[in-house]
Amino acid sequence: MAEALRLWRKVRALLDGVPESQEAAALGVLARVGMLRLGYRLGISEEEVAALVAEGKALAQRAGDVRSLAAILTQSGASALMAGELRKALDLYQEATEAAESAGDIGIKLWVQVGQILTYLVAGQLPAALVLAEEALALTGDDPDMGSSVFGRSTYANLLWIRGWVRA
């Protein structure tokens, strides 16, 4: 994982020397999402997390890319969740939900919802987690591949697991 983090940092540094474009902004946000995803596992500082989030949001906003904005906000929510900052995580996921709605991308919306559901679980808000899991499952249309290109695995299977765990 440390090597993957090093490579994402390299992508970030290389993009600093490239003229801004839609593609460069999207890749820049992706690099920061990757760094956040690995960073909370490897222990990056709170200052670095804040910088990555601010940079990612600024890139996405300048490019007018609401999909990338939803991605950085979602990963920010996950970082807050892993740091035990449940209120902050829920606020970030709410902001990500608004961006995902604007993007019109069901896959990104499902990714956001999974994060929200996990935050509700950690906070002990099982009824809220179950309601949101049911809503998210309805969005998949029972398609096991729905959202997997964004989430990295079957969102449908993940949601079925969550629903079963909450009901148990």
Side-chain angles (χ1 to χ4, degrees):
M1 276 198 267
E3 178 65 6
L5 180 59
R6 185 188 72 74
L7 291 172
W8 279 124
R9 284 184 170 138
K10 186 174 181 177
V11 169
R12 177 186 178 206
L14 288 169
L15 286 170
D16 285 344
V18 174
E20 279 200 24
S21 68
Q22 290 281 66
E23 295 81 11
L27 187 54
V29 172
L30 181 63
R32 285 154 180 87
V33 167
M35 291 171 66
L36 287 169
R37 184 175 284 164
L38 294 165
Y40 68 74
R41 290 177 173 97
L42 296 171
I44 63 174
S45 70
E46 289 180 33
E47 293 79 18
E48 187 174 4
V49 169
L52 292 170
V53 172
E55 292 169 9
K57 284 176 74 173
L59 279 170
Q61 288 167 338
R62 280 196 308 272
D65 184 352
V66 290
R67 188 177 189 282
S68 290
L69 180 60
I72 193 72
L73 290 168
T74 299
Q75 196 56 54
S76 303
S79 294
L81 174 61
M82 293 300 144
E85 300 173 12
L86 302 182
R87 180 75 259 150
K88 182 178 179 181
L90 287 171
D91 290 345
L92 286 163
Y93 284 128
Q94 182 56 46
E95 197 177 344
T97 296
E98 292 164 13
E101 290 286 344
S102 295
D105 184 325
I106 293 175
I108 203 89
K109 185 174 180 179
L110 288 168
W111 183 29
V112 174
Q113 287 179 317
V114 168
Q116 285 176 304
I117 293 163
L118 293 174
T119 304
Y120 286 142
L121 290 174
V122 171
Q125 297 178 18
L126 301 183
L130 184 57
V131 166
L132 193 54
E134 294 293 351
E135 288 175 14
L137 276 166
L139 272 180
T140 68
D142 294 332
D143 179 354
D145 295 325
M146 180 62 72
S148 62
S149 64
V150 174
F151 196 60
R153 59 187 176 273
S154 174
T155 308
Y156 179 74
N158 197 278
L159 288 165
L160 287 174
W161 171 82
I162 289 170
R163 183 178 67 183
W165 187 82
V166 171
R167 286 182 174 172

